[in-house]
Amino acid sequence: MNELKSLTLPELTETLRAMGEPAFRGKQVFTWLHKGITSYDEMGNIPKDLRRKLEASYPLDVPRPVRKQVSRLDGTIKYLWELEDGNCIESVLMRYRHGNTVCISSQVGCRMGCAFCASTIAGKVRDLTPGEMLDQVIFTQLDSGEPVSNIVLMGIGEPLDNLDAVLRFLELVNHPDGLNIGMRHISLSTCGLVPGIFRLAELELQLTLSVSLHAPDSETRSRIMPVNRAYDVEELFAACHHYFQTTGRRISFEYALIGNVNDHDWQADLIAQKLRGMPGHVNLIPLNDVAESSFKPSGRLADFQKRLESHGLTATVRRSLGGDIDASCGQLRRKAMEEAQKGESSQ
Ligand code: SAH
């Protein structure tokens, strides 16, 4: 599974050295892999016998775009990729004035169980490898012909539940001989796995941490996010304060407004109270209606925003892209899974 592509440059150099190759080959092969070759024969400056050896030991598998939806409203492109083992994942290319952003998945499915989220309905199948995360960026770029300048780890899966692979992916995508995408252009979103936040804090990366808050009180949060029963929101706020104190970086809090669940004024007040001492930014998200969920979008978006702002907080409403193409993550994979099931049962 993209074994070579998951290796860092020193590791790849070492692997090739063990095959009897000179040290400079590492960088050459690394660069080719990160360009998105689909056959080793594309590596023009690599001797033919080494290409054969690599082909035999490390077959190149690349994700296949099994579905592609292009929004007529804003040009957002959503990909459903089939991986080498038949599993499917999603990535979304979003076009903003300041550049293109790709939203990638970190796992096949998710085990976090958030009640409003389509990605978690069928649980987690497996973690993605660093190479599979990298491929989403590379092949979105190649397929769309659009350069990607920003990455958000906000697709299917919980990045901090696959942190080793995610860190390796970050090192790869950041590398000057590869895609060379700066950490400041990368955001990572977590549902609140506290130990992972502490680990990230120690690394002091320049990326933007997003925390899916969705409720500032334990009772509501436990109701909509089971992770809150393992790591209570009080522990989460403490971890966020620690993160800010250690890294000096502002955290972005995601908050999908659900009618009559988390959209009360007292909850806005509580958010302000809990974020005191930290320059938090609250990103309000209009809830995407997921067919399987009974939660409904709130009509209090503007009021809630004003209430947060009255406490001096920065609160923005996320512009919704790809409204016509199921662009909220998990929905396309979910549709494809349902159709496959229907196909099987009708046979
Ligand atoms: N597991 C990570 C990243 C994936 S989800 C996390 O939880 O942060 C990306 C964002 O979409 C999260 O903030 C998630 O809570 C939010 N989300 C999931 N389903 C949604 C829905 N139906 N409407 C609005 N936002 C949703």
Side-chain angles (χ1 to χ4, degrees), residues 116-117 153-155 157-159 189-191 212 214 254 256 285-288 290:
F116 46 82
C117 179
L153 280 144
M154 285 191 190
E158 167 50 47
S189 178
T190 177
C191 65
S212 298
H214 303 316
E254 291 155 276
I285 314 172
L287 184 76
N288 262 301
V290 174

Coordinates of all heavy atoms in Angstrom, one line a residue, residues 116-117 153-155 157-159 189-191 212 214 254 256 285-288 290, ligand 1:
F116 N -24.3 13.8 14.3 CA -24.8 14.5 13.2 C -24.0 14.3 11.9 O -24.1 14.9 10.9 CB -24.7 16.0 13.5 CG -23.4 16.4 14.2 CD1 -22.3 16.6 13.4 CD2 -23.3 16.4 15.6 CE1 -21.1 16.9 14.0 CE2 -22.1 16.7 16.2 CZ -21.0 17.0 15.4
C117 N -23.0 13.4 12.0 CA -22.0 13.3 10.9 C -22.2 12.0 10.1 O -22.3 10.9 10.7 CB -20.6 13.3 11.6 SG -19.3 13.1 10.4
L153 N -7.2 18.9 6.9 CA -7.5 17.5 7.3 C -8.9 17.5 8.0 O -9.0 17.6 9.2 CB -6.4 17.0 8.2 CG -5.1 16.6 7.6 CD1 -3.9 16.9 8.4 CD2 -5.1 15.1 7.3
M154 N -9.9 17.6 7.2 CA -11.3 17.7 7.7 C -12.2 16.8 6.9 O -13.4 17.0 7.0 CB -11.8 19.2 7.5 CG -11.2 20.2 8.4 SD -12.1 21.7 8.3 CE -11.0 22.8 9.3
G155 N -11.6 15.9 6.2 CA -12.5 14.9 5.5 C -12.9 13.8 6.4 O -13.1 14.0 7.6
G157 N -12.8 10.7 8.8 CA -11.8 10.2 9.8 C -11.4 11.2 10.8 O -11.7 12.4 10.7
E158 N -10.8 10.8 11.9 CA -10.3 11.6 13.0 C -8.8 11.6 12.9 O -8.1 10.6 13.3 CB -10.8 11.1 14.3 CG -10.2 11.6 15.6 CD -10.1 13.2 15.6 OE1 -11.1 13.8 15.3 OE2 -9.1 13.7 15.9
P159 N -8.2 12.7 12.5 CA -6.7 12.7 12.3 C -5.9 12.4 13.6 O -4.9 11.7 13.5 CB -6.4 14.2 11.9 CG -7.7 14.8 11.6 CD -8.8 14.0 12.1
S189 N -8.2 19.2 11.9 CA -9.4 19.3 12.7 C -9.6 18.1 13.5 O -9.5 17.0 13.0 CB -10.6 19.6 11.7 OG -11.8 19.6 12.5
T190 N -9.9 18.3 14.8 CA -10.1 17.2 15.7 C -11.4 17.3 16.4 O -11.8 18.4 16.7 CB -8.9 17.0 16.7 OG1 -9.3 15.9 17.6 CG2 -8.7 18.2 17.5
C191 N -12.0 16.1 16.8 CA -13.2 16.2 17.6 C -12.9 16.3 19.0 O -13.8 16.4 19.9 CB -14.0 14.9 17.3 SG -13.2 13.4 17.9
S212 N -13.4 20.7 16.9 CA -14.8 20.6 16.7 C -15.5 20.6 18.1 O -15.6 19.6 18.7 CB -15.2 19.3 16.0 OG -14.6 19.3 14.7
H214 N -18.8 22.3 19.1 CA -20.2 21.9 18.9 C -21.1 22.0 20.2 O -22.3 22.0 20.1 CB -20.4 20.6 18.2 CG -19.7 20.5 16.9 ND1 -19.8 21.4 16.0 CD2 -19.0 19.5 16.4 CE1 -19.1 21.1 14.9 NE2 -18.6 19.9 15.1
E254 N -14.8 24.9 15.7 CA -15.9 24.7 14.8 C -17.2 24.4 15.6 O -17.2 23.7 16.6 CB -15.6 23.5 13.9 CG -14.5 23.8 12.9 CD -13.8 22.5 12.5 OE1 -12.9 22.0 13.2 OE2 -14.2 22.0 11.4
A256 N -21.2 23.6 14.6 CA -22.3 23.4 13.7 C -23.6 23.7 14.5 O -23.8 23.0 15.5 CB -22.3 22.0 13.2
I285 N -20.9 26.9 11.7 CA -21.2 26.1 10.4 C -22.7 25.8 10.4 O -23.3 25.3 11.3 CB -20.5 24.7 10.5 CG1 -19.0 24.9 10.9 CG2 -20.6 24.0 9.1 CD1 -18.3 23.6 11.1
P286 N -23.4 26.2 9.3 CA -24.8 25.8 9.1 C -24.8 24.3 9.1 O -24.1 23.7 8.3 CB -25.2 26.5 7.8 CG -24.1 27.4 7.4 CD -22.8 27.0 8.1
L287 N -25.6 23.7 9.9 CA -25.6 22.2 9.9 C -26.0 21.7 8.6 O -27.0 22.1 8.0 CB -26.6 21.7 11.0 CG -26.6 20.2 11.2 CD1 -25.4 19.6 11.9 CD2 -27.9 19.7 11.9
N288 N -25.2 20.7 8.1 CA -25.6 20.0 6.8 C -26.6 19.0 7.2 O -26.3 18.1 8.0 CB -24.4 19.4 6.2 CG -23.8 20.2 5.1 OD1 -24.4 20.5 4.2 ND2 -22.5 20.6 5.4
V290 N -28.1 15.7 7.3 CA -27.7 14.4 6.9 C -29.0 13.5 7.0 O -29.7 13.6 8.0 CB -26.6 13.8 7.9 CG1 -26.3 12.4 7.6 CG2 -25.4 14.6 7.7
Ligands
SAH1 N1 -12.8 14.2 12.9 C1 -12.4 15.5 12.7 C2 -12.4 16.0 11.2 C3 -13.6 15.6 10.3 S1 -15.1 16.4 10.4 C4 -13.3 16.5 13.5 O1 -14.2 16.0 14.1 O2 -13.0 17.6 13.6 C5 -14.9 18.0 9.8 C6 -15.9 19.0 10.5 O3 -17.3 18.8 9.9 C7 -16.1 18.7 12.0 O4 -16.1 20.0 12.6 C8 -17.4 18.0 12.1 O5 -17.9 18.1 13.4 C9 -18.2 18.7 11.0 N2 -19.4 18.1 10.6 C10 -19.7 16.7 10.5 N3 -20.9 16.5 10.1 C11 -21.5 17.7 9.9 C12 -22.8 18.2 9.5 N4 -23.8 17.3 9.2 N5 -23.0 19.5 9.4 C13 -22.0 20.4 9.7 N6 -20.8 20.0 10.1 C14 -20.5 18.7 10.2

